[in-house]
């Protein structure tokens, strides 16, 4: 067959590796069936058909598909001794979405398809359980009505029409829970559902099972393009061209009685990574009930008591699948009359913490090698474990407690709808999305929020899974919480826990969530910085064995430098001297220097700055203790240091004992139309050489002082914004003369290099290298100047470019390989043509971004330099880059 692959019933036409064609769900169903696991038989319509439909329009299918589906259906009928639409032995199927990349809950699935007034009677007779048959029927009509026929609520916080109807039926029949609905009540629900379909769509609910099937297939393909799937794809960089597969699978029933259940399990704890079967189930229910977060399910350990045989079988299958895939699995299962059926397996989404622990544990268990373990680490996800957590010594009393669904701490202002979350976040607010339960439609709000709190749902509900995937703090099943989204208010029933009072919160109030304990606090709780745990330490030893690229840090202060060293930085790649100028006691001297009328005046002021700078540099040298320290000489336009408002000008005038008009005149004289391209960088020192001279002297004196105290020093002096070789030739001479005078006879060696941050510098890099001991690519400015795009103004239109796909990625986040990257390669080639051993590094924000680190590795860099908290990320990215280039060889 061309477009259809069957699975189950003793054979399978696909395998796990066929994800691109069969989607993850279909490929793994085929793999599980081929391993002899209990998988209800079915077939997969390939992603190729989805691409065909996207191209030709909804409802248009490739020739021959219909016949293939009919043949595959006939095989399933034969295997199960049932017939689709039959009045005595009817076949019921699920129609399930499943893309190549896992997108939990973002697309649609329809269960119990094949039911109509005739087949429901057959199902009742055959099972001897009419209540069950009608329970399936009401589920089917509601699901099909929503997904295929579009009978849904118009507004986001309004309940779905079928839910409203069901609630009325429950009230009328005095049924508290879905399980308490009698056959009569369920019959009534089906009739009301169908009436609603007729009212809304103007057409009766389709009775013909083949119409139902093709309606569902079409809707699942269309769900590939629904808004939430679109948001999810953008968030996770999944190309829209992939398409989804459709799986048609024989139904098994978890709602057939008390020896039936449905559930979700992880082979390890997805929040912490600890090695325990972890999951949730509901007795007498269907799959959607667990993952949709409607009922709060029971923990999997309970299953060992309620259905021990099925639990034992699940434990066996879980281990088998984890060993087979050599990774933590996320399983979906159903138990029908005590018998286990597997409905899905995939690599489990996990938190950064769990990602590290699982990889390290699998190595310890002998299932993975060091290199494979490193390849399992998503460097960007390490970010989560490096974030601050709530100070354990200063925890305020909690006002609520739920399940710790996704760890980390989140402080934000409360909003009650996904749309509000988005609006507030766009205004720059940090928000917490607080909901009764979240549905996949809330994805855009979850993305905008810093944390998510829900009253219902479990650890495996879609919102929990999606939050973990995004690395967002999430607390679910906070049962004391009651949310009224329409009134924009909520109540914590317990008040401050144990006080017995009610605590009301309104939109805009601040709360703190602890995703590691499930606790909720009022206001903002105190945070403490994260520590590298022992597992991450272990992983990092493997990372450091593999990588060849060195990792340095951008640090302006001794505190930053210390943090970075604790994260494994091997030097300072960028120390911005100007940041030292802004402290109140220094800014005055800096202003005096800028406002001086002549060189003599500037030198007087610089003499005051010299000892301060010397102290700063000495401290950095001491902290770095023999590691290289790259110090960039003054870079920003001078007017950045001047006062701007009339009030500030008056103040400075007083401090300096000068008339305010003089100061104001100087300020306006120094104001530039385009300071980014103005009098800054080494241009300052071409006009006022004494500035760099004094800075060089401060560096040299600091080096000498620290060296005398027995600490090795490795100063690297860096000259910014060079556009022509002559600039560097002159300034190098100036700096070297000054430094040599101080260091003569000390035996201290130092180097002088330059930042490459202008396209012209890349082009003439061979000649610049004649005067440079090293190059450090300043990719922030290089990106601005290559694109002709000011970083400060790009906010107006860059988001649109990204949203509409005009640019594939933000070039200020990830190095643009074809433009900026090409210039960097040109620069490296030019520089090394002149000096084969030229040391090359990067000090822009890109230095801590995984794809850019990989670029730097390929381009032959010696090091990357990034902010302290990104050092571990860069180390992992460097190791993965080394492994990737080995694999290419
Ligand atoms: P999603 O991608 O949103 O998880 P699925 O296709 O996995 O959607 O379906 C959701 C749930 O529906 C599954 O977890 C499973 O419990 C239930 N389900 C799907 N197909 C069947 C089936 N053939 N028999 C019984 N339950 C099913
Ligand atoms: Mg699923
Ligand atoms: Mg710069």
């Amino acid at each position: 067959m061309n477009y259809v692959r069957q699975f189950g019933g003793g054979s399978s036409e696909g395998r796990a590796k066929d994800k691109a064609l069969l989607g993850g769900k279909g490929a793994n169903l085929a793999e599980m069936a081929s391993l002899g696991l209990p998988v209800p038989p079915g077939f997969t319509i390939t992603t190729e058909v989805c691409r065909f439909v996207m191209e030709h329009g909804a409802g248009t299918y490739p020739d021959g598909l219909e016949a293939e589906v009919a043949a595959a259906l006939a095989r399933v009928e034969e295997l199960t001794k049932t017939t689709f639409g039959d009045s005595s032995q009817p076949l019921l199927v699920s129609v399930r979405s499943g893309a190549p990349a896992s997108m939990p809950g973002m697309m649609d699935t329809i269960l119990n398809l094949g039911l109509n007034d005739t087949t429901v009677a057959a199902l009742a007779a055959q099972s001897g359980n009419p209540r069950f048959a009608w329970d399936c029927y009401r589920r089917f009509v509601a699901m099909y009505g929503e997904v295929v026929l579009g009978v849904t609520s118009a507004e986001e916080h309004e309940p779905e029409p079928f839910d409203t109807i069901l609630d009325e039926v429950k009230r009328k029949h005095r049924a508290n829970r879905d399980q308490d609905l009698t056959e009569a009540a369920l019959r009534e629900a089906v009739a009301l559902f169908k009436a609603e379909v007729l009212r809304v769509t103007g057409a009766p609910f389709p009775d013909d099972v083949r119409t139902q099937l093709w309606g569902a297939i079409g809707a699942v393909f269309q769900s590939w393009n629904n808004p939430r799937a679109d948001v999810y794809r953008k968030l996770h960089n999944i190309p829209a061209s992939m398409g989804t597969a459709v799986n048609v699978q024989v139904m098994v029933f978890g709602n057939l009685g008390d020896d039936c259940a449905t559930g979700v399990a992880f082979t390890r704890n997805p929040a912490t990574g600890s090695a325990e079967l972890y999951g949730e189930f509901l007795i007498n229910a269907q799959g959607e009930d667990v993952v949709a977060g409607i009922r709060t399910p029971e923990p999997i350990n309970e299953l060992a008591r309620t259905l021990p045989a099925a639990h034992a079988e699940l434990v066996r299958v879980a281990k088998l699948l984890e060993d087979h895939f050599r990774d933590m699995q996320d399983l979906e299962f159903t138990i029908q009359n005590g018998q286990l059926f597997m409905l899905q397996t995939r690599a489990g989404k996990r938190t950064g913490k769990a990602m590290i622990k699982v990889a390290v544990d699998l190595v310890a268990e002998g299932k993975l090698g060091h290199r494979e373990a490193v390849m399992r680490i998503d460097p960007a996800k390490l970010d989560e474990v490096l974030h601050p957590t709530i100070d354990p010594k200063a925890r305020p009393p909690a006002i609520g407690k739920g399940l710790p669904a996704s760890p980390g701490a989140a402080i934000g202002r409360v909003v009650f709808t996904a749309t509000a979350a988005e609006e507030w976040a766009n205004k720059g607010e940090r928000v917490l999305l607080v909901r009764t339960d979240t549905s996949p439609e809330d994805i855009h709000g979850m993305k905008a929020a810093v944390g998510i709190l829900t009253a219902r749902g479990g650890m495996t509900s879609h919102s929990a899974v999606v939050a973990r995937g995004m690395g967002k703090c999430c607390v679910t099943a906070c049962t004391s919480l009651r949310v009224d989204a329409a009134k924009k208010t909520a109540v914590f029933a317990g008040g401050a826990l144990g006080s017995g009072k009610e605590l009301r919160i309104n939109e805009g109030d601040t709360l703190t969530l602890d995703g590691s304990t499930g606790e909720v606090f009022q206001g903002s709780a105190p945070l403490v910085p994260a520590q590298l745990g022992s597992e991450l330490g272990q992983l990092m030893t493997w990372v450091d064995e593999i990588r060849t690229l060195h990792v340095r840090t951008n640090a302006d202060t001794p505190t930053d430098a210390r943090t970075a060293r604790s994260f494994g930085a091997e030097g300072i790649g960028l120390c911005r001297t100007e940041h030292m100028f802004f402290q109140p006691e220094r800014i005055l001297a800096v202003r005096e220097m800028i406002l001086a009328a002549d060189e003599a005046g500037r030198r007087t002021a610089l003499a005051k700055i010299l000892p301060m700078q010397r102290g700063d540099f000495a401290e950095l040298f001491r902290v770095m203790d023999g590691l290289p320290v790259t110090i960039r000489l003054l870079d920003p336009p001078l007017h950045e240091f001047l006062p701007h408002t009339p009030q500030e000008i008056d103040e400075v005038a007083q401090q300096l004992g000068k008339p305010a008009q003089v100061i104001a005149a100087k300020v306006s004289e120094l104001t530039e139309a385009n300071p980014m391209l103005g009098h800054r960088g080494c241009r300052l020192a071409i006009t006022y050489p004494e500035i760099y001279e004094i800075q060089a002297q401060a560096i040299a004196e600091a080096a000498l002082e620290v060296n005398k105290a027995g600490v090795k020093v490795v100063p690297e002096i860096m000259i910014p914004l060079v556009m022509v070789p002559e600039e560097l030739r002159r300034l190098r001479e100036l700096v070297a003369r000054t430094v040599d005078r101080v260091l003569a006879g000390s035996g201290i060696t130092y180097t002088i290099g330059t930042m490459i941050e202008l396209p012209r510098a890349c082009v003439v890099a061979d000649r610049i290298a004649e005067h440079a001991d090293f190059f450090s690519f300043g990719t922030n400015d290089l990106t601005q100047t290559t694109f002709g795009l000011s970083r400060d103004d790009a906010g107006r239109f860059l988001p649109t470019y990204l949203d509409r796909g005009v640019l594939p990625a933000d070039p200020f986040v990830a190095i643009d390989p074809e433009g900026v990257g090409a210039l960097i390669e040109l620069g490296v080639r030019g520089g090394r043509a002149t000096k084969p051993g030229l040391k090359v590094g990067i000090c822009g924000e890109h230095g801590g971004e995984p794809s850019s680190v990989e670029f730097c590795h390929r381009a032959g860099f010696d090091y990357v330099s990034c902010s302290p908290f990104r050092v571990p990320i860069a180390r992992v990215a460097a190791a993965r880059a080394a492994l990737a280039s080995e694999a290419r060889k």
Side-chain angles (χ1 to χ4, degrees):
M1 292 207 211
N2 255 331
Y3 300 112
V4 173
R5 304 288 159 90
Q6 52 78 17
F7 57 82
S11 68
S12 285
E13 289 175 342
R15 284 296 179 274
K17 63 174 168 33
D18 302 325
K19 290 196 174 62
L21 194 62
L22 302 182
K25 199 180 285 170
N28 280 354
L29 281 169
E31 183 86 12
M32 284 199 289
S34 77
L35 292 171
L37 296 178
V39 175
F43 56 88
T44 304
I45 306 174
T46 66
T47 54
E48 205 184 328
V49 177
C50 186
R51 290 189 290 271
F52 184 96
V53 172
M54 283 193 281
E55 196 177 319
H56 295 85
T60 317
Y61 296 106
D63 285 346
L65 179 68
E66 208 168 323
E68 286 188 35
V69 167
L73 203 60
R75 174 180 173 274
V76 169
E77 288 175 330
E78 195 174 309
L79 279 170
T80 53
K81 305 278 175 285
T82 57
T83 306
F84 201 37
D86 191 57
S87 59
S88 63
Q89 299 287 336
L91 168 67
L92 300 189
V93 295
S94 61
V95 178
R96 316 174 64 189
S97 55
S102 138
M103 299 170 55
M106 295 302 138
M107 289 179 294
D108 293 322
T109 281
I110 293 146
L111 304 182
N112 309 309
L113 188 138
L115 281 174
N116 55 31
D117 292 347
T118 312
T119 54
V120 74
L123 186 65
Q126 184 196 32
S127 63
N129 187 342
R131 198 212 88 91
F132 151 73
W134 283 89
D135 187 48
C136 292
Y137 200 13
R138 65 95 184 169
R139 288 168 184 273
F140 169 59
V141 175
M143 247 178 177
Y144 195 94
E146 256 180 60
V147 171
V148 185
L149 306 175
V151 181
T152 53
S153 66
E155 292 292 333
E156 135 176 62
H157 52 75
E158 279 175 13
E160 295 296 337
F162 296 121
D163 290 347
T164 311
I165 296 172
L166 193 68
D167 283 343
E168 277 162 25
V169 173
K170 273 190 195 159
R171 208 167 309 130
K172 181 172 156 204
H173 290 260
R174 296 177 198 286
N176 275 328
R177 305 168 306 165
D178 291 3
Q179 307 93 292
D180 303 330
L181 288 163
T182 58
E183 180 196 340
L186 292 163
R187 278 177 182 270
E188 192 176 324
V190 169
L192 291 169
F193 286 176
K194 286 186 168 182
E196 177 71 2
V197 167
L198 183 61
R199 190 183 70 77
V200 174
T201 68
F205 189 87
D207 281 332
D208 177 65
V209 294
R210 283 190 168 71
T211 308
Q212 292 176 357
L213 178 65
W214 284 98
I217 291 172
V220 171
F221 278 137
Q222 288 313 302
S223 72
W224 175 252
N225 282 323
N226 73 32
R228 58 181 198 256
D230 193 49
V231 173
Y232 190 90
R233 276 197 295 271
K234 289 212 173 102
L235 200 58
H236 294 271
N237 283 324
I238 300 170
S241 57
M242 272 184 173
T244 182
V246 175
N247 303 286
V248 178
Q249 187 176 26
V250 171
M251 282 300 297
V252 286
F253 299 101
N255 56 337
L256 200 43
D258 286 342
D259 58 349
C260 301
T262 180
V264 179
F266 289 81
T267 58
R268 300 184 186 227
N269 184 318
T272 65
S274 73
E276 53 181 344
L277 184 67
Y278 185 86
E280 293 164 332
F281 71 100
L282 284 169
I283 289 286
N284 201 5
Q286 264 193 351
E288 285 294 313
D289 300 354
V290 178
V291 291
I294 300 166
R295 282 161 64 183
T296 298
E298 292 181 75
I300 209 86
N301 292 341
E302 274 301 299
L303 189 65
R305 291 197 318 112
T306 26
L307 297 170
H311 179 265
E313 175 68 351
L314 179 64
V315 169
R316 181 187 77 86
V317 170
K319 173 154 178 22
L320 187 150
L321 283 171
E322 185 179 280
D323 290 351
H324 180 71
F325 287 105
R326 300 189 308 141
D327 196 5
M328 185 241 272
Q329 297 294 298
D330 167 356
L331 313 169
E332 294 178 8
F333 64 90
T334 282
I335 297 165
Q336 176 173 334
N337 301 128
Q339 199 194 337
L340 177 78
F341 290 94
M342 297 308 298
L343 293 170
Q344 191 168 338
T345 188
R346 62 185 157 195
K349 296 231 179 298
R350 63 204 78 178
T351 61
K353 186 176 171 185
M355 170 183 75
I356 295 161
K357 180 158 172 59
V358 169
V360 171
D361 284 356
L362 286 174
V363 170
E365 291 163 25
K367 290 174 192 151
L368 287 184
H370 293 181
R371 292 164 166 253
E372 286 171 301
V374 171
M375 283 316 275
R376 293 279 177 86
I377 300 299
D378 173 0
K381 254 187 121 48
L382 285 179
D383 208 24
E384 289 169 35
V385 297
L386 304 170
H387 278 326
T389 51
I390 293 170
D391 186 351
K393 291 194 212 81
R395 293 180 87 82
I399 56 168
K401 190 165 187 336
L403 296 172
S406 183
I411 301 177
R413 300 180 65 189
V414 169
V415 293
F416 296 105
T417 62
T419 305
E422 216 174 18
E423 282 167 12
W424 286 52
N426 285 342
K427 284 185 268 167
E429 291 282 354
R430 298 170 64 80
V431 296
L432 299 179
L433 180 60
V434 177
R435 307 272 298 150
T436 300
D437 45 43
T438 64
S439 72
E441 283 92 45
D442 291 330
I443 172 93
H444 63 112
M446 295 176 68
K447 180 183 156 195
V450 295
I452 297 128
L453 170 65
T454 66
R456 293 197 224 152
M459 292 290 286
T460 54
S461 60
H462 276 317
S463 52
V465 171
V466 170
R468 281 195 291 272
M470 293 198 270
K472 289 237 158 118
C473 168
C474 177
V475 173
T476 57
C478 180
T479 46
S480 67
L481 172 68
R482 266 181 291 116
V483 178
D484 188 339
K487 294 213 179 89
K488 299 187 181 177
T489 174
V491 164
F492 286 91
L497 274 190
S499 77
K501 288 199 213 86
E502 263 196 8
L503 181 81
R504 179 169 298 279
I505 53 160
N506 298 311
E507 187 175 63
D509 290 356
T510 298
L511 294 182
T512 302
L513 302 182
D514 186 339
S516 311
T517 62
E519 284 168 295
V520 183
F521 306 97
Q522 202 171 10
S524 30
L527 302 180
V528 289
Q531 304 280 312
L532 289 196
S534 62
E535 266 122 13
L536 185 52
Q538 172 68 265
L539 184 83
M540 283 300 176
T541 62
W542 305 332
V543 160
D544 291 345
E545 282 163 20
I546 297 166
R547 71 189 164 93
T548 54
L549 196 60
H550 290 288
V551 177
R552 297 192 185 184
T553 191
N554 299 349
D556 304 333
T557 64
T559 313
D560 281 355
R562 261 183 226 109
T563 309
R565 281 206 66 181
S566 78
F567 285 152
E570 299 164 281
I572 291 181
L574 175 64
C575 167
R576 287 166 285 224
T577 45
E578 59 270 20
H579 284 198
M580 302 168 165
F581 285 177
F582 281 105
Q583 292 166 29
E585 67 276 16
R586 302 180 176 194
I587 188 78
L588 195 63
V590 175
R591 286 170 172 168
E592 193 184 323
M593 182 230 358
I594 298 169
L595 295 168
D598 52 16
E599 185 186 333
R602 276 192 297 278
R603 283 196 183 271
T604 312
L606 280 165
K608 294 182 191 164
I609 296 170
L610 174 75
M612 303 174 186
Q613 287 250 288
R614 186 171 55 215
D616 294 330
F617 297 143
E619 186 60 21
L620 274 182
F621 286 135
R622 271 191 286 270
V623 172
M624 294 314 284
D625 193 18
L627 296 174
V629 177
T630 306
I631 298 168
R632 178 178 73 186
L633 302 181
L634 196 65
D635 181 54
L638 294 180
H639 87 111
E640 278 191 16
F641 300 104
L642 289 179
H644 292 288
T645 65
Q647 205 182 341
E648 287 168 349
I649 290 177
D650 277 347
E651 228 170 82
V652 171
Q654 252 171 27
Q655 286 168 334
L656 292 177
K658 291 195 173 168
Q661 304 94 285
V662 174
I663 309 279
K666 192 75 187 179
V667 169
S668 72
E669 183 193 314
L670 283 173
T671 301
E672 294 173 296
N674 195 345
M676 185 190 83
L677 300 176
H679 192 190
R680 56 168 288 213
C682 67
R683 298 162 195 176
L684 292 170
I686 293 291
T687 47
Y688 309 129
E690 55 280 4
I691 298 181
Y692 279 14
E693 191 187 319
I694 297 297
Q695 285 197 298
Q697 187 183 340
I699 293 168
E701 288 177 1
L704 192 64
E705 174 191 322
V706 174
N707 187 249
K708 275 194 185 139
V711 178
K712 187 168 179 251
V713 288
V714 185
E716 300 181 339
I717 301 170
M718 182 155 79
I719 294 171
L721 212 74
V722 165
M723 58 185 179
V724 291
E726 182 61 14
E727 288 170 320
L728 190 60
R729 191 192 67 75
R730 291 183 187 208
L731 295 175
R732 179 185 181 109
E733 203 181 274
L734 170 83
V735 168
R737 200 185 331 119
T738 312
V739 174
D740 287 344
R741 189 172 28 107
V742 178
L743 295 186
S746 70
I748 299 174
T749 54
Y750 69 97
T751 53
I752 299 176
T754 181
M755 277 179 88
I756 302 286
E757 47 190 337
L758 294 172
R760 189 180 199 284
C762 295
V763 175
V764 300
D766 54 340
R767 292 202 296 121
I768 291 179
E770 287 169 17
H771 316 290
D773 303 319
F774 63 87
F775 280 179
S776 176
F777 284 88
T779 47
N780 299 340
D781 271 317
L782 187 58
T783 300
Q784 299 202 83
T785 49
T786 301
F787 277 79
L789 186 66
S790 139
R791 208 161 37 144
D792 308 313
D793 301 316
R796 302 224 179 120
F797 51 89
L798 206 51
T800 310
Y801 270 63
L802 297 172
D803 222 44
R804 302 199 183 151
V806 180
L807 274 176
D810 184 339
F812 292 109
V813 173
I815 287 180
D816 147 50
E818 64 182 26
V820 177
L823 282 167
I824 293 174
E825 282 163 355
L826 182 67
V828 174
R829 224 179 304 128
R832 292 220 172 118
T834 304
K835 283 196 182 148
L838 185 77
K839 194 193 283 182
V840 174
I842 176 177
C843 62
E845 291 295 313
H846 302 90
E849 189 278 322
S851 78
S852 308
V853 172
E854 181 161 0
F855 171 86
C856 293
H857 174 87
R858 281 199 310 268
F861 278 48
D862 296 290
Y863 70 86
V864 294
S865 187
C866 56
S867 63
F869 285 95
R870 301 197 71 87
V871 167
I873 298 173
R875 286 161 76 196
V876 172
R880 289 171 54 95
L883 291 172
S885 58
E886 261 175 41
R888 267 193 305 274
K889 271 179 204 150

